[in-house]
Amino acid sequence: MDNSVSHQNSLVSVRNLSFSRGNRKIFDNISLEIERGKITAIMGPSGTGKTTLLKLIGGQLFPEQGSITVDGKNVHQLRRSDLYNLRKRMGMLFQSGALLTDMNVFDNVAFPLREHTHLTESMIRTLVLMKLQAVGLRGARDLMPNELSGGMARRIALARAIALDPMMIMYDEPFTGQDPISKGSLVHLIKSLNNTLGLTSIMVSHDVQETAAIADYIYVISEGKIVGQGTPKEIEQSPSEWVQQFMTGAADGPVHFHYPAKDYVDDLLSTGKRY
Amino acid sequence: MIEFLQHLGENTRTSFTKLGRGTFFLLQTISGIISVLARPRLLINQMHSIGVLSFLIITISGLFVGMVLGLQGYYTLSDFGAEEALGVMVAASLVRELGPVVTALLFAGRAGSALTAEIGLMKATEQLSGMEMMAVDPIKRIISPRFLAGFLSMPLLAALFSAIGIIGGQMIGSGLLGVDEGAYWSQMQANIDFQDDIINGVIKSIVFGFVTSWIALFEGYDAIPTSEGVSRATTRTVVNSAFSILGLDFILTTLMFGD
């Protein structure tokens, strides 16, 4: 993407970002734009650092090079208190839900409100019940997190993420490990919340169908680079073999089925000495 | 030889880096205490789970340690015809040494390990990270209240331990072995010094409370967020706390009662 182009309408801009863990380069000079009001998906195989990208955007990790701006502010140059103020306007849905296990559902959703606002208990109650109603779990308010199914936990976490009426939500693998019904309800929720609350959504996922169904724009990342981008339609027709393999789930292709190893026959006939 | 030196160098460096992280963590924790004072509810909850729930183990251990002291003290003192001094002996050993030290060791095993496991699992299940993303500082919200609670609970628990132990010594001494009850208490009153014995004992347990809570919370916070990592961190909490308690006890005793 050309950096000189100004993106008037983007809420998050990632510019020339590089990040490594140990010797492994997770991102190698990538740039991307997240448009306001849209659902942008970031796709790629497991272990390509999609979650890392969300943590970089949230300011929990620091990039080696490049910058990330959210709503015009450079996340990694903010003072701590400003970063915390910015985070109040960003919701994040963790893969595990990250519900606080020592509180029930109601208190979990009320947590950000109690921490950041001085609302009365009765107003908090009203707000919490509204958020729970939005995710369809108002009846589950007295359950503890360990009594929830995975899909319910994620919906509760979603209710908590929208408790402070953020401007954007980051979804970390929202569909992984969900049964078809919960997947369906999450797809529906993400889409409808984005539209009714006027949110901007960033979704990290490797579930092709669900993501393609609701995303407005998709970036496909592999080995630290962006290998494809466009609307779901454009991605489907991408000329890149790699993107094709990813979207169709073919076992062999540019990504090989076999982990690199020496020749199979040689390996079988060798003495089996440790090397 | 070269390999040995390399190992030594690497281990030293790792330990010092960890010490640095630990110190930084401690400073953050202490600076978070101000916000805890504004929300006493958080502190009270932690005092309950760290302090109150340790009552049982502290009471029972205190009782038995006191009873054993009563028995052993009686047999030694009676050789010199000094059974009346049993009260002084039991009280001095408890208030100066056994109270703070045994309480701290039990505290590390009961509350310290629980704290490490709790914080470590919160880290492993992304609860701490989640809190950060909700713009809530986990140090202020989770760590500081627990630190303050551990730090305040320890002297109280040590006092409880010593008090129960003294009663246990009296039960055995005058109940079973026939030491005069009046002598047990009056000798104790006459010979235990408030400044030298009691205050010094309290200082010890404050120091132990500080160190044990620090170790337990830091090990949890610094744990590798996997089940193996949390289990190792819990072990380290108990082992490092025990070493620190015993080492510091020696140093403090030398400083306090040395001259």
Side-chain angles (χ1 to χ4, degrees), chain A residues 112-183:
Chain A
L113 295 167
R114 287 185 179 143
E115 291 291 323
H116 295 307
T117 66
H118 298 285
L119 299 175
T120 59
E121 240 350 85
S122 74
M123 282 173 83
I124 287 180
R125 182 172 181 277
T126 315
L127 277 172
V128 170
L129 294 185
M130 281 164 68
K131 304 296 174 189
L132 284 173
Q133 176 73 11
V135 298
L137 289 172
R138 189 166 44 86
R141 74 186 94 156
D142 294 324
L143 298 179
M144 293 302 283
N146 59 7
E147 297 171 298
L148 301 170
S149 71
M152 283 163 86
R154 247 171 253 192
R155 280 152 70 188
I156 300 294
L158 186 52
R160 186 179 67 175
I162 56 172
L164 289 172
D165 293 320
M167 60 180 175
M168 63 182 266
I169 299 196
M170 299 189 274
Y171 297 92
D172 185 6
E173 299 284 5
F175 310 116
T176 306
Q178 301 294 313
D179 62 65
I181 300 174
S182 343
K183 264 190 201 175

Side-chain angles (χ1 to χ4, degrees), chain A residues 60 80 84 87 96 115-116, chain B residues 126 132 134-135 137 141:
Chain A
Q60 288 191 307
R80 197 177 158 76
Y84 270 48
R87 279 185 188 162
S96 58
E115 291 291 323
H116 295 307
Chain B
E126 293 183 314
E132 267 181 37
M134 287 187 277
D137 185 350
R141 182 63 174 70

Side-chain angles (χ1 to χ4, degrees), chain A residues 15-48:
Chain A
R15 302 252 163 85
N16 308 103
L17 176 80
S18 295
F19 184 81
S20 357
R21 278 239 158 95
N23 293 325
R24 230 184 103 224
K25 251 209 146 92
I26 304 218
F27 298 118
D28 187 5
N29 198 18
I30 65 165
S31 298
L32 48 89
E33 301 289 330
I34 312 285
E35 255 189 84
R36 273 176 213 273
K38 296 280 169 64
I39 300 179
T40 305
I42 293 157
M43 307 192 72
S46 312
T48 42

Side-chain angles (χ1 to χ4, degrees), chain B residues 67-87:
Chain B
M67 294 198 304
V68 168
L69 275 177
L71 277 173
Q72 296 282 15
Y74 179 81
Y75 290 126
T76 313
L77 291 173
S78 64
D79 284 348
F80 306 100
E83 301 93 20
E84 271 73 37
L86 184 65

Side-chain angles (χ1 to χ4, degrees), chain A residues 55 58 60 80 84 87-88 90 94 96 98-101 103 111 115-116 160 170, chain B residues 28 39 118 122 125-138 141 146:
Chain A
K55 290 197 168 174
Q60 288 191 307
R80 197 177 158 76
Y84 270 48
R87 279 185 188 162
K88 284 180 202 164
M90 302 169 153
F94 283 83
S96 58
L99 294 175
L100 302 171
T101 41
M103 299 178 185
F111 182 81
E115 291 291 323
H116 295 307
R160 186 179 67 175
M170 299 189 274
Chain B
Q28 281 184 303
R39 292 174 68 181
E118 187 190 17
M122 287 183 90
T125 52
E126 293 183 314
Q127 292 183 52
L128 296 182
S129 199
M131 242 180 228
E132 267 181 37
M133 283 308 297
M134 287 187 277
V136 176
D137 185 350
R141 182 63 174 70
R146 284 166 173 74

